[in-house]
Amino acid sequence: MPKKAKPSGNGKEEGSVPCKQVKVEAAGRLSTLNFDSPGGLFESLISPIKTETFFKEFWEQKPLLIQRDDPALATYYQSLFRLTDLKSLCSRGMYYGRDVNVCRCVNGKKKVLNKDGKAHFLQLRKDFDQKRATIQFHQPQRFKDELWRIQEKLECYFGSLVGSNVYITPAGSQGLPPHYDDVEVFILQLEGEKHWRLYDPTVSLARQYSVEAEDRIGRPAHEFTLKPGDLLYFPRGTIHQADTPPGLAHSTHVTISTYQNNSWGDFLLDTISGLVFDTAKEDVALRAGIPRQLLLQVETTTVATRQLSGFLRTLADRLEGTKELLSSDMKKDFVMHRLPPYYVGDGTELSTPGGKLPRLDSIVRLQFKDHIVLTVGPDQDPSDEAPEKMVYIYHSLKNRRETHMMGNEEETESHGLRFPLSHLDALKQIWNSSAISVKDLKLTTDEEKESLVLSLWTECLIQVV
């Protein structure tokens, strides 16, 4: 079985205690999730495992199975998505491929049974019942409020996009062949039971999805059955397959996933270009031309390799001594594509400034801090021949929930503000204070101070205390 805690020397588990006792403990104190804070939400999601234990023992390392005997939690999980929800969803205009896939695993291969165009509930139900097909619903947080609420908090907690898919599989059937993913995976069992087999990775912390042949993966390292209220975590690269046991009702589970393209390698690629750009302004060696015909060489020359190695050491030395905001594209992409803050009602608090107008004598504080990023980059005004650095503030308050994780690049726009680099210290004051007086901001004139807070207030990013 996947580990539930750190094994002690005598082979027994310590910390989160064995599964049977986990059930007893969970039944006594775990009913629904804690939405008071992003950290509270995650801690309640993996309860009774402690967050510190999870990241020390399991995250990116090995699977974690949490089996619970908690009727209240099982009922809550079942409310997140049911087979019967498909009827009302289809009436809103769901399409094959975009919103829903119908598939079945046949002889170790995925067989897609999609029709063309709009998906109708009666046809989905027919394929489900007669062809024993799995129904995969993409990104249900677009329509299911409680999943929006969960995933929005998790995006705040991880600082990374969090997507989801629902899988509904009839008894005695399997939807997907053995495969591994490029995301960290949390499985919540919602309806019925699902039989899982996990295998040791062939590629640890994989960067892409891949199907694996049965004859290549060997025997399962872990095998178990999930019931409503249970949770399973496994790292990217973990080979897995799952089927609904025969003779039972259908199974519904939601796969919540995160940390796609969110590695140190990705962060390095994101920061290195800005670092080179800044260093080249001060170091003439980086501005010197490369040798003639270097690009025509079949192999990189020794001279070029030595020169590049030297430049990388120069960049490393510069990096060691800086506290500048380095990441730009990753921060912006995250904020542009993530969920807006969860709200009940029409969401006017995200689009219309409320409360008093900030003045020089006002005390202000940041709001929706988990939904804002601050970064420094070159001025994006195409009219500037020699762009100066600017401070950019991007936020997700106006993002559209309906397009979350759907790859609608042409529909995505960034929301935010830009300020001269001279405003950076004042913005950091606002970011790092629970509340601050406008007149204490580190700007030269009172007009600059008032203009800054008014711009933030207009975007609903600050409020007057």
Side-chain angles (χ1 to χ4, degrees):
M1 301 286 279
K3 292 292 186 182
K4 304 178 190 65
K6 179 182 178 182
S8 61
N10 58 9
K12 296 182 179 179
E13 292 172 331
E14 58 186 22
S16 70
V17 301
C19 184
K20 188 172 183 180
Q21 290 174 295
V22 168
K23 291 182 182 178
V24 172
E25 185 179 2
R29 63 178 179 83
L30 183 63
S31 54
T32 52
L33 302 178
N34 172 16
F35 290 94
D36 291 344
S37 68
L41 183 277
F42 184 72
E43 190 167 335
S44 65
L45 189 69
I46 63 169
S47 177
I49 303 298
K50 298 300 182 187
T51 303
E52 182 180 351
T53 301
F54 175 78
F55 284 102
K56 183 179 179 181
E57 302 289 339
F58 302 104
W59 177 254
E60 295 189 330
Q61 298 172 64
K62 58 189 176 186
L64 169 65
L65 169 64
I66 302 176
Q67 294 177 309
R68 302 173 173 125
D69 185 11
D70 186 341
L73 185 66
T75 299
Y76 172 73
Y77 271 28
Q78 288 164 3
S79 74
L80 297 178
F81 201 105
R82 296 182 174 94
L83 171 61
T84 52
D85 290 336
L86 288 173
K87 188 171 185 180
S88 61
L89 287 169
C90 286
S91 70
R92 299 170 65 167
M94 301 295 122
Y95 287 83
Y96 284 104
R98 185 191 74 180
D99 302 297
V100 65
N101 275 337
V102 180
C103 58
R104 186 173 181 188
C105 178
V106 179
N107 297 324
K109 295 184 178 180
K110 177 181 176 181
K111 183 177 182 181
V112 179
L113 304 172
N114 288 353
K115 306 292 189 291
D116 292 326
K118 191 176 289 188
H120 298 281
F121 177 70
L122 290 178
Q123 182 63 53
L124 289 176
R125 193 66 206 245
K126 182 179 179 182
D127 289 338
F128 183 78
D129 291 332
Q130 296 182 6
K131 297 182 179 178
R132 320 307 296 156
T134 288
I135 300 171
Q136 177 188 12
F137 193 90
H138 300 149
Q139 310 303 336
Q141 72 279 4
R142 295 176 293 149
F143 310 104
K144 300 292 288 182
D145 288 351
E146 199 67 5
L147 284 172
W148 170 23
R149 191 181 180 199
I150 291 170
Q151 289 173 235
E152 179 259 321
K153 274 284 190 289
L154 290 177
E155 286 187 333
C156 293
Y157 183 72
F158 284 110
S160 176
L161 294 176
V162 175
S164 68
N165 285 307
V166 164
Y167 297 87
I168 310 172
T169 304
S173 187
Q174 179 170 332
L176 299 175
H179 66 279
Y180 60 78
D181 298 297
D182 58 348
V183 286
E184 301 295 301
V185 171
F186 295 85
I187 307 289
L188 279 60
Q189 185 66 25
L190 310 183
E191 295 183 304
E193 298 183 3
K194 201 70 175 275
H195 169 240
W196 285 83
R197 285 169 284 173
L198 307 185
Y199 305 80
D200 292 330
T202 52
V203 180
S204 295
L205 301 181
R207 291 184 57 83
Q208 59 187 19
Y209 168 95
S210 179
V211 174
E212 291 281 25
E214 287 267 11
D215 58 4
R216 185 171 177 234
I217 58 180
R219 295 174 59 84
H222 313 288
E223 188 168 4
F224 46 84
T225 299
L226 293 184
K227 298 180 180 180
D230 291 349
L231 179 142
L232 168 66
Y233 158 79
F234 51 81
R236 52 197 188 276
T238 303
I239 303 166
H240 56 280
Q241 60 178 325
D243 61 274
T244 304
L248 298 171
H250 69 269
S251 162
T252 303
H253 77 263
V254 61
T255 296
I256 296 176
S257 57
T258 190
Y259 259 63
Q260 186 178 48
N261 300 328
N262 211 46
S263 68
W264 277 114
D266 297 303
F267 190 70
L268 181 62
L269 287 171
D270 189 39
T271 58
I272 198 91
S273 60
L275 194 60
V276 171
F277 181 82
D278 290 345
T279 307
K281 287 195 294 186
E282 302 171 10
D283 188 346
V284 69
L286 274 168
R287 303 200 299 273
I290 60 175
R292 288 179 297 104
Q293 299 187 345
L294 178 64
L295 303 181
L296 300 177
Q297 302 298 321
V298 176
E299 295 180 344
T300 305
T301 65
T302 304
V303 172
T305 302
R306 188 181 302 121
Q307 191 79 321
L308 286 174
S309 298
F311 286 143
L312 288 172
R313 279 188 282 272
T314 300
L315 293 175
D317 291 340
R318 181 184 177 95
L319 193 59
E320 287 281 351
T322 185
K323 289 186 178 179
E324 291 179 23
L325 300 167
L326 295 169
S327 173
S328 54
D329 290 343
M330 282 179 73
K331 279 188 172 187
K332 183 180 177 181
D333 289 347
F334 169 49
V335 163
M336 282 176 60
H337 295 98
R338 65 174 300 189
L339 284 163
Y342 175 80
Y343 59 82
V344 177
D346 58 8
T348 53
E349 68 270 26
L350 304 183
S351 56
T352 306
K356 293 184 292 183
L357 202 69
R359 303 291 187 189
L360 187 63
D361 59 354
S362 300
I363 295 175
V364 298
R365 71 173 170 217
L366 202 62
Q367 58 180 2
F368 304 111
K369 186 175 182 179
D370 288 336
H371 284 265
I372 314 167
V373 298
L374 188 152
T375 188
V376 173
D379 192 346
Q380 296 166 6
D381 186 344
S383 65
D384 289 348
E385 291 185 9
E388 292 294 318
K389 276 193 173 182
M390 302 288 286
V391 182
Y392 291 91
I393 293 174
Y394 300 107
H395 66 80
S396 57
L397 273 59
K398 298 175 185 176
N399 287 6
R400 295 180 59 222
R401 170 193 176 191
E402 296 79 14
T403 60
H404 184 242
M405 300 296 290
M406 294 300 290
N408 306 67
E409 294 292 340
E410 69 281 355
E411 297 181 18
T412 304
E413 60 176 313
S414 59
H415 305 288
L417 302 162
R418 69 173 187 166
F419 299 98
L421 193 60
S422 58
H423 286 48
L424 180 58
D425 286 342
L427 287 164
K428 286 182 177 179
Q429 283 179 279
I430 296 172
W431 247 253
N432 296 328
S433 304
S434 55
I436 189 168
S437 174
V438 176
K439 65 176 179 291
D440 291 336
L441 293 175
K442 294 177 181 178
L443 286 168
T444 307
T445 67
D446 291 345
E447 289 75 16
E448 285 180 320
K449 296 173 184 179
E450 283 199 338
S451 176
L452 172 62
V453 295
L454 186 60
S455 297
L456 294 171
W457 180 81
T458 304
E459 287 286 305
C460 305
L461 303 182
I462 63 169
Q463 59 182 178
V464 178
V465 180

